[in-house]
Amino acid sequence: RSKEHGRGTYQLYSPAMNSKAPDLLALENGLRYAIERDELLLCYQPKINIQTGAIMGLEALIRWQHPERGLVSPATFIPLAEETGLIIEIGEWVLRTACQQTVEWHRQGLQPLSVAVNLSARQFFQPNLPEIVAQVLLQTQLDPQSLELEITETTAVKNMDFTKSVLAQLKDLGVHIAMDDFGTGYSSLNYLKELPFNTLKIDQSFIRDLKPKSKDVEIINAVLGLGRGLKLDIVAEGVDSEEQLTVLQSLECEIVQGYLFSRPLPADEITKQLEANWLDRKNRNLINRRFK
Ligand code: C2E
Ligand code: MG
Ligand code: MG
Ligand code: MG
């Protein structure tokens, strides 16, 4: 185990893991060939401005179409890819695919969309991440401003000096940086002071049971206040009901992402919907219904 994994990540073999091992091993072997066998699929979920209904950008979310198991969730295979180091290759594939696709959307004149790409810890701590990002931007010709990289709090705080230096290099390239799953890690205000984030994504756990006059409301309100003060975009993740939407609108939250507006969809479906302006129309309907 390398140092970059930090302390406390040693795992002892337990009987429970033992029984899972052959299964995981098979999955891991499959993952090794998933790229060359063309089994990986990148989906995109829109981020919506709930004051206007406009699509602000898309988050790229990976799927694995396993030949026997069907769709495998990233929650299952990303940790496996992390553990085995396959995440480096997969992560670069995600970055390149998302950038290429976004340039394609720009060429079609659909919308000045930006794309967000998730970075796992091991990817973030690879020594040449800024070079890889620079290279992909150059090769795909994507405007760096149209790319946002998402890292979690837990990743950010593993090694603050390293994080600071990598984020500074990424910012120099012109890309945006988002903190994903905000509120589930250490949430120290120090990180907001020290690290150059453009966006905070409020974790879905604060949205899930969102009701008027709840603690969640106060917490979200405080984060929105931080966002206004620090000039950060705040995104509410996992909005899947009209009740949640109503509360968020009353708090003057601007950007949300969630099943209520759209599930993550393959690129060609996003294209169709952007062409038909369907998402925009659907969003406006949802939003207007709230106000009328
Ligand atoms: P995340 O980055 O926090 O992504 C948000 C997750 O919430 C996605 O799950 C998305 O499909 C789901 N979601 C969106 N709207 C709703 C909603 O209204 N309700 C509910 N219940 N869920 C919603 P997904 O796609 O299964 O991804 C899970 C996690 O896997 C991601 O969390 C991210 O940490 C990781 N992941 C996904 N794609 C990639 C990737 O390309 N690279 C890396 N390193 N990690 C990825
Ligand atoms: Mg994310
Ligand atoms: Mg998240
Ligand atoms: Mg998450």
Side-chain angles (χ1 to χ4, degrees), residues 16-287:
M17 290 172 71
N18 212 349
S19 64
K20 254 190 346 201
D23 194 47
L24 280 183
L25 212 63
L27 210 58
E28 178 186 318
N29 279 329
L31 194 54
R32 249 171 242 291
Y33 302 102
I35 294 186
E36 54 190 81
R37 289 181 185 159
D38 215 18
E39 293 168 2
L40 297 181
L41 172 72
L42 208 53
C43 286
Y44 300 85
Q45 186 180 38
K47 285 183 280 186
I48 312 294
N49 181 322
I50 55 171
Q51 308 298 335
T52 65
I55 297 173
M56 307 300 289
L58 302 160
E59 180 179 27
L61 294 158
I62 195 173
R63 305 290 178 253
W64 178 15
Q65 295 176 301
H66 193 282
E68 287 119 42
R69 297 171 194 235
L71 222 56
V72 184
S73 153
T76 306
F77 74 87
I78 292 290
L80 208 58
E82 274 279 290
E83 213 178 284
T84 53
L86 288 167
I87 192 67
I88 301 297
E89 201 187 337
I90 293 174
E92 195 172 330
W93 177 86
V94 170
L95 182 66
R96 194 176 302 276
T97 306
C99 290
Q100 269 166 357
Q101 182 58 60
T102 305
V103 166
E104 189 52 38
W105 279 318
H106 289 180
R107 288 209 178 109
Q108 294 173 40
L110 288 172
Q111 254 182 319
L113 288 172
S114 69
V115 73
V117 170
N118 290 284
L119 297 178
S120 67
R122 190 148 172 182
Q123 243 180 311
F124 186 76
F125 286 108
Q126 68 187 113
N128 59 342
L129 178 71
E131 283 85 354
I132 291 172
V133 173
Q135 196 184 48
V136 170
L137 287 170
L138 194 70
Q139 287 167 349
T140 60
Q141 289 291 297
L142 180 69
D143 171 8
Q145 300 248 35
S146 298
L147 177 64
E148 185 159 74
L149 298 172
E150 297 190 1
I151 60 170
T152 64
E153 275 174 272
T154 325
T155 299
V157 306
K158 279 200 167 122
N159 179 341
M160 274 295 273
D161 290 337
F162 188 88
T163 299
K164 256 194 204 176
S165 129
V166 174
L167 291 187
Q169 293 174 64
L170 292 171
K171 293 285 291 203
D172 280 346
L173 295 176
V175 305
H176 288 190
I177 311 289
M179 188 187 267
D180 202 356
D181 302 348
F182 183 67
T184 59
Y186 300 86
S187 305
S188 167
L189 299 178
N190 181 46
Y191 311 135
L192 296 183
K193 181 179 166 190
E194 299 288 333
L195 302 173
F197 290 103
N198 302 90
T199 305
L200 302 182
K201 301 188 79 177
I202 304 177
D203 189 68
Q204 343 192 332
S205 53
F206 297 98
I207 314 295
R208 197 168 298 132
D209 307 309
L210 188 55
K211 291 200 175 56
K213 297 186 186 151
S214 61
K215 282 192 185 174
D216 288 327
V217 163
E218 296 307 327
I219 293 168
I220 293 168
N221 210 12
V223 177
L224 289 168
L226 269 176
R228 283 177 205 117
L230 298 175
K231 308 238 180 317
L232 300 168
D233 282 339
I234 306 295
V235 179
E237 290 194 287
V239 177
D240 58 14
S241 76
E242 295 202 25
E243 186 184 11
Q244 293 164 346
L245 175 64
T246 309
V247 177
L248 289 167
Q249 282 178 320
S250 75
L251 296 175
E252 287 173 52
C253 172
E254 281 193 356
I255 313 169
V256 314
Q257 200 181 327
Y259 297 163
L260 179 64
F261 293 99
S262 172
R263 294 202 166 242
L265 298 170
D268 53 341
E269 285 187 48
I270 293 281
T271 307
K272 272 189 231 152
Q273 301 199 345
L274 289 174
E275 278 169 351
N277 213 17
W278 177 87
L279 276 174
D280 254 6
R281 238 183 15 241
K282 184 184 157 210
N283 298 342
R284 294 227 163 80
N285 284 340
L286 268 171
I287 286 159

